[in-house]
Amino acid sequence: LIINRVIYQSDYPKKKFEIKQNCTIYFGPEDIKERNNILTQNFINVLPMLSKIAKEKLQDWQKFLDWQKEYINKNIDGYKYIEFEKDDNNETITFYIVTEKEKLNRLKKLAKNNELAIYDNSASTETYEFKYDETYKNKLVMLGDFKDLIELNRKIDANIKNVFNEPIIVTITFSLRDSEDELIEINKIQSEGFLATNIIGNLSQIKRQERALKNVITSNTYNPFLASWLFNIKNADLPKNIDIDLDYFNNNLNKDQKSAVRKMYNVPNIGLLQGPPGTGKTTVIAEIIYQLAIQGKKVLLSSQTNLAVDNALDRLAENPKIRAIRLGKTDKLSEEGKQFSETFILKIGRA
């Protein structure tokens, strides 16, 4: 047996999914067969089914992530560009692509559907063929709208001929501005590289999800019983003292919203807030942050989208009791979120 992690807990009641067992921990080579060994087969046989169910569910999640990776790898497609140029008016950018005739329709389809991004040479393990290197960590440069694709009658280098079957060179032109009419990051484009499917960016997200899943499986989380509640919320302890009086920051909260705030304020393990769009979930989240913050507690607010975090913080912007710092890249934040960014906070501090 190798101990992966030891969690110390004290002064809390036994959970529904726990078994109370007296045991002695020995450090050394002593023979423990005749002693109070917690890992007897009889003990293991009477463990609740919860641990088995959680393990099976988490394995299903891992299978789903494996399927996602397989799907992405099968749909990876990249094209070598040997040079690029932009027009004098900063309106378009044109890449000189080396490819094969039979791949032209695929290239054009990906370009029209805005499914291509710019990668540098280190994204591929090969010089001309795109073989994605999973260790690639550089940021992608996104492209603007597709404009045109033209096949050129141009002499092809012998090294290229050795790689491709009937190689050709085409020019493919895109707008220099993205969907929000902002100039793409042309200063980050190398003289040679690849145009490849931007779905590859999802691989880094899957890696983060796999790390998180591994931490849940091994209970290496801030909340050590998280796996026990994920698949049966009834295993979590109910909040107490939900009728307490709070001094609400937002006086326009309705009865249900105030009830949600009180429950979240006292939740001992985990709390779930559910509701369709427009029911005020973000308003409740902002109020919960306020109530916890004025008690001197630290709150980490995270979301799958930047906008959701920015919207919640914006509701607290005018409250002097809240000192929020928005982590993340400034260019990805909304105007609401930028007022909490590290850069903005430092500027105010210097002023």
Side-chain angles (χ1 to χ4, degrees), residues 287-299:
E287 185 67 39
I288 294 168
I289 293 173
Y290 170 79
Q291 294 296 337
L292 294 174
I294 62 174
Q295 296 296 321
K297 297 181 179 180
K298 295 179 181 179
V299 181

Side-chain angles (χ1 to χ4, degrees), residues 97-334:
I97 300 288
V98 180
T99 186
E100 299 171 349
K101 275 187 175 293
E102 61 182 27
K103 296 183 178 180
L104 274 185
N105 289 336
R106 169 70 172 163
L107 171 60
K108 196 168 186 178
K109 180 180 179 181
L110 291 172
K112 285 183 175 181
N113 293 338
N114 292 322
E115 296 182 50
L116 294 174
I118 308 171
Y119 295 76
D120 59 50
N121 284 325
S122 63
S124 175
T125 58
E126 300 291 338
T127 303
Y128 292 106
E129 286 188 286
F130 189 75
K131 302 291 184 181
Y132 182 64
D133 185 347
E134 292 192 1
T135 63
Y136 182 71
K137 296 181 179 180
N138 294 346
K139 182 183 177 183
L140 311 184
V141 179
M142 305 309 293
L143 289 161
D145 291 335
F146 169 71
K147 296 295 183 181
D148 197 11
L149 186 149
I150 300 173
E151 183 177 347
L152 301 180
N153 183 15
R154 182 170 170 178
K155 185 178 179 180
I156 297 176
D157 187 270
N159 292 328
I160 297 176
K161 288 183 177 180
N162 293 332
V163 176
F164 295 97
N165 180 30
E166 296 184 15
I168 59 173
I169 294 180
V170 301
T171 59
I172 186 167
T173 303
F174 298 87
S175 168
L176 261 177
R177 298 181 181 274
D178 61 18
S179 58
E180 297 180 357
D181 204 36
E182 295 184 4
L183 283 171
I184 68 172
E185 301 171 290
I186 192 170
N187 60 309
K188 295 184 178 180
I189 304 176
Q190 295 187 359
S191 58
E192 289 188 12
F194 292 90
L195 300 187
T197 44
N198 53 33
I199 194 174
I200 296 173
N202 295 340
L203 285 174
S204 59
Q205 181 179 349
I206 292 176
K207 288 180 181 179
R208 291 195 298 271
Q209 292 171 338
E210 286 184 319
R211 288 196 298 268
L213 183 58
K214 181 180 179 181
N215 288 337
V216 173
I217 292 173
T218 59
S219 295
N220 189 24
T221 56
Y222 183 80
N223 191 331
F225 299 110
L226 181 60
S228 304
W229 302 320
L230 276 177
F231 309 107
N232 190 350
I233 194 61
K234 293 180 180 179
N235 288 314
D237 296 326
L238 294 175
K240 299 178 181 178
N241 302 322
I242 59 176
D243 294 327
I244 60 172
D245 292 326
L246 296 175
D247 183 15
Y248 294 101
F249 165 65
N250 187 341
N251 294 319
N252 295 320
L253 295 176
N254 60 38
K255 181 180 178 181
D256 290 335
Q257 289 173 325
K258 290 181 178 179
S259 175
V261 171
R262 290 195 301 270
K263 290 177 181 177
M264 290 290 184
Y265 182 81
N266 289 284
V267 69
N269 305 141
I270 187 172
L272 303 177
L273 180 64
Q274 184 178 5
T279 53
K281 295 187 297 297
T282 302
T283 301
V284 171
I285 291 171
E287 185 67 39
I288 294 168
I289 293 173
Y290 170 79
Q291 294 296 337
L292 294 174
I294 62 174
Q295 296 296 321
K297 297 181 179 180
K298 295 179 181 179
V299 181
L300 173 64
L301 177 64
S302 64
S303 174
Q304 189 176 0
T305 63
N306 287 308
L307 187 59
V309 174
D310 296 341
N311 286 341
L313 292 182
D314 187 50
R315 286 163 167 76
L316 301 168
E318 304 300 325
N319 193 299
K321 295 182 180 180
I322 303 299
R323 300 181 64 184
I325 298 179
R326 181 68 166 88
L327 303 178
K329 297 180 180 179
T330 306
D331 59 337
K332 296 295 183 181
L333 306 183
S334 67

Side-chain angles (χ1 to χ4, degrees), residues 1 17-21 36-53 55:
L1 170 68
F17 50 85
E18 291 181 318
I19 291 179
K20 187 175 182 179
Q21 176 83 7
N36 193 12
N37 181 11
I38 193 173
L39 293 175
T40 62
Q41 190 59 49
N42 289 336
F43 175 79
I44 293 174
N45 289 341
V46 298
L47 283 174
M49 285 295 293
L50 175 68
S51 58
K52 181 179 179 181
I53 294 172
K55 182 179 180 180

Side-chain angles (χ1 to χ4, degrees), residues 86-102:
K86 64 182 182 68
D87 72 343
D88 295 334
N89 296 323
N90 279 335
E91 293 295 332
T92 62
I93 183 170
T94 299
F95 296 88
Y96 290 76
I97 300 288
V98 180
T99 186
E100 299 171 349
K101 275 187 175 293
E102 61 182 27

